[in-house]
Amino acid sequence: MTRSPARTSGDTPTAADMDRLRERYRAERDRRIRPDGSGQYQATTGEFGFYADDPWSGRDDTREAVTDHVDALVVGGGFGGLVAAARLRDAGLDRIRVVDTGGDLGGTWYWNRYPGIACDIESSIYLPMLEEIGTVPSRRYPPGEEIRGHARAIGERFDLYRDALLGTEVTSLRWEERPGDDGGDGGGDGAAGHWRAGTDRGDDFTARYVVISSGPFNRPKLPGIPGIADFAGHTFHTSRWDFGWTGGDATGGLDRIGDKRIAVIGTGATAIQCVPHLAEGAAHLYVVQRTPSSVDTRDDEPYDERWWASLEPGWQRRRREDFLHLMNMLPPTHGGDGVCDKWTDTAPIRGVARYARTRGTETLAQALEIADAEKMDEIRARVDEIVDDPATAAALKPWYRQMCKRPTFSDRYLQTFNRENVTLVDTAGQGVERITAGGLVVQGTEYPVDAIVFATGFELGADPATRAGADIRGRGGLTLAEKWSDGLSTLHGWVSRGFPNLFHVGAGQNSASVNFAHVLEEQATHIAAVVTEAEKRGIDAIEPTRDGEEAWVATIRERAVDQHGFLAECTPGYYNFEGRPRRRNEQFGGGPVEFHRILREFRDGDMNDVLGGG
């Protein structure tokens, strides 16, 4: 085993050790940077549109177009849309219409059913509304089918199927004024208009409120490899898994590919989970890698029924808050009992702990970098411990700082490369050269295969104004894209002036966290609380004042954390837009704990910045 550049001279890396490690990281980054950046990917539209088709539900083209009025339209049936709809139901709204392109509720858990799929945040912390719904997960990281079942349970509990339009895409949202609504500097005067929604199914209905919750994992992307359309074998994207071809189901058992040679392109979080199952079923599996993931242990296990029975009311809120604090390098407020996994052992968490121990001798930046080097040394050493072939092990080692890419966790992925029917095709950071009718070419060598599975992720860099796929026009016909052409402009990320009663659930101008389901639920709670107060006051339009919105945008700019330098040093990936990190950070720099406090204080105040205080 070759000693890492970060550990050439004892337990703690020296300045010279760190210099050598930085040089290695930069070399690995530089050979992966492409001039086309994110343009290297192919959208799943046009001749490639079939990659995004719904394989799970046959579309019913016979239903009649809907032309009615609802209290609220929720665009997106994933966890963000579900918790928003549920909280609006709690607020007293009767007709709530969830519209989603999928044939059922669940969002990313509806689409992604590949073998091995599971959550990577502990389920008692990740799954929203567990305490309310009464779902008891079977294990710490349950399979996707169990998670999808929980999403359906939320829909059933809050009667969201009643007015839902599934297998349907909202294509237009247009604000229509009513007489007396002058669009002044307040939140409405009791005579506001409504939103008119159009869909790809010919629906034409109106809604008083609209919630946009189109998550980042809603449309697959393909690599723009020359010849991709020429391949004569079978292909599909992991988010539209073809069990009719592979056999089996999301638990594995792929019993129809025993005579097939298969290539899987991509080695991110999805491949980490599906590769072991493909390897068990295929005659031969080629794993095509541009950049290796960091793979830590998963340590999954069934939940102890006695522990589950011992939980007292309010347990999920406490566990979520403790996890959020730990992940943001703050002490847990409820003791943190049992709230620990490999996420709470990532490099940034270790770095802050190191800084506390070495205060006065290391800067925070130094402590974070050294802790990162030590953590990644452990990740690379684990590869050597598991993978038998030295050359394969060397190619599977990640050479970048841990948070340059989303960390992954598996107790099966690395072990798969010890199988005789598995070949790692490392592209030395260059990707696949071209695809032929019979296979793929990497560094001049053709690998004949019967099928190509694309584990190449999703269109994560989409414009937030157009991500939902709808043409959104507010007061005076102003499009949301025009409003945000010079950058996002919102109050607390969820409302934007000129677009009354239009609420955004997501990651813009608020604060995200690795447990995004928690963040979404906090946003949904906030939206419902403001709607409740508006209903109580008889206010028809929820819209930020000019001063309120401008003040928040100024806060975002002033408090933004400059991540450009860090991301620019990272190997290309979706975190840094394929090596071209954006200079403007639209996240609230104080972190989610402080941001959630800001929202609570706003709700405890007069709310006049959105309810007519102009």
Side-chain angles (χ1 to χ4, degrees), residues 205-232:
F205 60 92
T206 56
R208 183 174 180 186
Y209 304 109
V210 175
V211 178
I212 302 292
S213 180
S214 52
F217 305 111
N218 63 338
R219 191 161 192 91
K221 68 181 180 185
L222 299 172
I225 303 171
I228 190 172
D230 299 330
F231 183 62

Side-chain angles (χ1 to χ4, degrees), residues 29 33 400-405 561-585:
R29 175 203 64 187
I33 289 180
Y400 47 80
R401 291 183 65 167
Q402 190 179 24
M403 300 313 292
C404 283
K405 292 182 175 292
V561 176
D562 185 4
Q563 296 179 316
H564 186 272
F566 174 83
L567 292 173
E569 292 291 325
C570 288
T571 189
Y574 72 84
Y575 273 19
N576 67 355
F577 299 95
E578 297 299 334
R580 296 182 177 183
R582 296 174 179 175
R583 290 196 172 275
R584 177 177 287 178
N585 184 351

Side-chain angles (χ1 to χ4, degrees), residues 41-57:
Y41 295 102
Q42 167 68 52
T44 49
T45 56
E47 66 174 311
F48 299 103
F50 69 92
Y51 282 99
D53 287 347
D54 188 347
W56 315 122
S57 299

Side-chain angles (χ1 to χ4, degrees), residues 49 169 196 339 397 421 459 475 566 605:
E169 182 177 22
R196 181 169 295 278
V339 184
K397 293 179 183 178
N421 70 325
E459 296 178 8
R475 294 189 190 275
F566 174 83

